[in-house]
Amino acid sequence: MTRATSLICLCVALVLSGCAKDSSDKNYKLSDKNYKLSDKNLVIAGDPKQVKTIGDQDTQFQIIAKGALDEKLSLGSLMEPTDQNLSIGIPLVSDLSGQPKNRSILDRLRRRTKPLPDDFASLQFGMPIDLVGKTMVFGGVVVKVSDRVNEDMGRLKLAELPALLVTTKIQKPSLGDPKLLVLNCGASCESQEPKKEVLGIPILAVDQVKKTVILDLSKLGDILELTAIRKNDYTLSQYKSIKSRVVTFDFSKNTLVFDVEAQLVKKSEALNQPNPKVTVVTNRWYLKLGDVFNPQFTKRKPINEVGFFTTKRNSEPWIVRYDLDRIEPQEGVKYYIKNVPPEFQKGFVSAFDEWNEKFLSITGKKIFNYEFISKDDPRSQLLVTGDVRYNIIEWDLVNRAAYGGLGPSIAHQYTGEVFSANVLVQGPHIIELFREWFQARHDSDDLIRIGRDHEADGVISKSLIALNAKLDALHLDGDNKVFKLKLGKDLELAIRSQDPSLEDPLMQRVDFDLPPVGYTFEAYMEGYFHDMVTHELGHNLGLRHNFRGNLGASDVPELGKVSRSIMEYLGRGYRYLDRIGPYDEMAIAYGYTGATPTHADWFCTDDDVSSLETPEFSAECNRDDATNDPFGFYDARLRKAVDYLVARGKANAPAWTVDDMKRELTHVFTGFGLYYVTGPLTASKWTNFLTNADRPKEPSQVAPYVFNKLKSYLCDASFEQEVTNKESTEAKKKTLDNIKGLMAQAKEVFKDLIPAAELECQ
Ligand SMILES: [Zn+2]
Ligand SMILES: [Zn+2]
């Protein structure tokens, strides 16, 4: 063994031994400077006889494998909850006196389980009777899905049951089997409003000596229900849980977490097939005990000028944000960044640094601190993305999903105080697609270098068309299904990757642009990841999208001047230049200091985006546009598309067909259409249309203007000459076909807006 490896082993042993000083983590700060990751409270299912006590000075929990539980019940060292000889004064016992004894739990357990070895390893939870009746925060996050390659199921990762304020009560046995009832307290547990039962957890045994009730938490897996709805025909596929078990417990920071694995199968297959396909969904549930929130936290109202996510469970929503009072000035909220290969870390570092710089100047405090955790680091096992005790950015090596980045935060649902946040980055997938994009330029450069310029066009179009097809397939796959995930009948989990206000594209819009000149793959990706991570951290901070960001761009794309907001979507030709902008600073100043925004027309979000069906929504609220003159941007895109389609100025046949650029053409025509449709009702409020001198001043003149512009492309006077100039009959035919195809594509997009005959050329 070399000296280096032995040192590493020593460190590993120290980290995992748990012998590090037990720094009190009561009332922990979000900074957590002194917090040491440790496995001292970690229990993993395996040994069917294991029994372990975990917790801290104030609260201890007993974790008992099912095998050990059965044995203790047989030996009488644990008692059945219906045993008349129980004498520890829990409500259950006093209510029980005089009641007939229920059938034996042990019998029931044995009848229920086919004695598979992994069943006996499943962990049962011993909860102190002291905690019954206390207020706790309960919720859960999907942390693992066994179906890893399928882009449909992969997106269940990070689905969240938003935090509930709960209390518990033991149900009287006269009403059925003994259960621990979990009750939702409504807006506050202090209030008198009726408490609603949200869950019933079976009580398996009582430990009279340790004063604990032993609970079967695998119930949380049994009642998990998944429905997939196909969008095109609304076909439902329902999945039910056929078996579940508790596989992990851990405790720190006043928070108990436990993993429940549920084996889901399609209901139809469960009945008809001997071996239905099983998908294992693992939820990491949590119970936060005691005062884990700041009672002095300032709740802030949502306002129109800036966009924050808001709380969902109370009648009056509050914005979601971190509590700066729980952050030491020079420390910031601790983030662990998992699995990012060293060559791509730069963009991550600069993203955190940029937010810190802005927060320092706006609030006087750094907001983040971060640490990279490589995939070989032993602490990697302890850091599960979605575990509410941590904030984690994960370069996802396991699940493949159709999004590029996802940045949900988890907040107290009555005040908006964020207590955990995560970012998933589809790193390997992103790298694969962007490498292909750069390869296209590389191949064409090689041809140009050896003087075969005329072939370069063909090579580029071929590579880009192949890349486009890949992205199309990805979206068809990802977009045609919607999932619903529920815990029992009433509690719905939010599938964050299905939420357009959070799910961020991997590679925006497929078009015919090549990578920016002068940029290497490495330099481009640094900008790309800077943009993505800063944007996702923006979501973590509470910020929603802002699709009016590009309206504040400078005239030519420059670093930090392509949008006034990092929460904007920008195409590949712009996003690597995006930085935190003046809008973001204004929004953070409101959310984190209460400062009144100084601009009222800088923001719009997912709920406001315009479409061809909504003439009352401004064309300037657009996910797909760019530059400070979006109509000019669409105009330029259409000119470029047409030039490619007729191979303008060239004698050889065009390298592109209309079919190859269908997405791009639909996108550009839709851009024209938005101005055409929304002009009459919204043009009076447009801020970036009149900048160009030839634009009409009256809202009523916008539609005719757009129509004429469109026709000038469809019926371009130079088309005839372009066809004539082609060297071969074949090239002439291909050009003519493209000109016809262009018209057909326009008619398709405008079919509900402009009669086809009016688009025809005279
Ligand atoms: Zn986003
Ligand atoms: Zn925009």
Side-chain angles (χ1 to χ4, degrees), residues 547 550 568 622 625:
F547 299 123
N550 57 295
E568 171 67 289
N622 188 334
D625 62 357

Side-chain angles (χ1 to χ4, degrees), residues 405 500-505 535-536 539 544-545 567 569:
S501 62
L502 274 174
E503 185 236 30
D504 294 315
H535 177 105
E536 300 306 339
H539 282 318
R544 296 199 59 171
H545 288 140
M567 303 313 291
Y569 281 174

Side-chain angles (χ1 to χ4, degrees), residues 46-110:
D47 175 5
K49 294 283 163 67
Q50 74 175 322
V51 178
K52 194 171 168 185
T53 301
I54 61 171
D56 59 12
Q57 301 93 317
D58 302 326
T59 316
Q60 277 97 46
F61 306 96
Q62 254 180 294
I63 310 301
I64 307 174
K66 198 157 156 194
L69 178 72
D70 281 8
E71 198 173 274
K72 281 171 182 273
L73 278 169
S74 321
L75 294 171
S77 61
L78 286 178
M79 296 176 83
E80 298 202 10
T82 50
D83 194 315
Q84 301 199 35
N85 297 322
L86 273 177
S87 60
I88 50 169
I90 58 172
L92 171 71
V93 180
S94 51
D95 292 332
L96 188 72
S97 49
Q99 297 278 339
K101 193 172 188 270
N102 285 15
R103 75 190 151 96
S104 156
I105 287 272
L106 190 57
D107 284 352
R108 196 145 24 93
L109 270 177
R110 288 195 172 137

Side-chain angles (χ1 to χ4, degrees), residues 424-444:
L424 285 179
V425 177
Q426 283 280 312
H429 206 173
I430 291 167
I431 296 300
E432 178 191 318
L433 292 169
F434 277 88
R435 269 199 208 286
E436 269 183 53
W437 189 42
F438 271 79
Q439 190 60 44
R441 183 176 73 186
H442 187 85
D443 293 346
S444 95

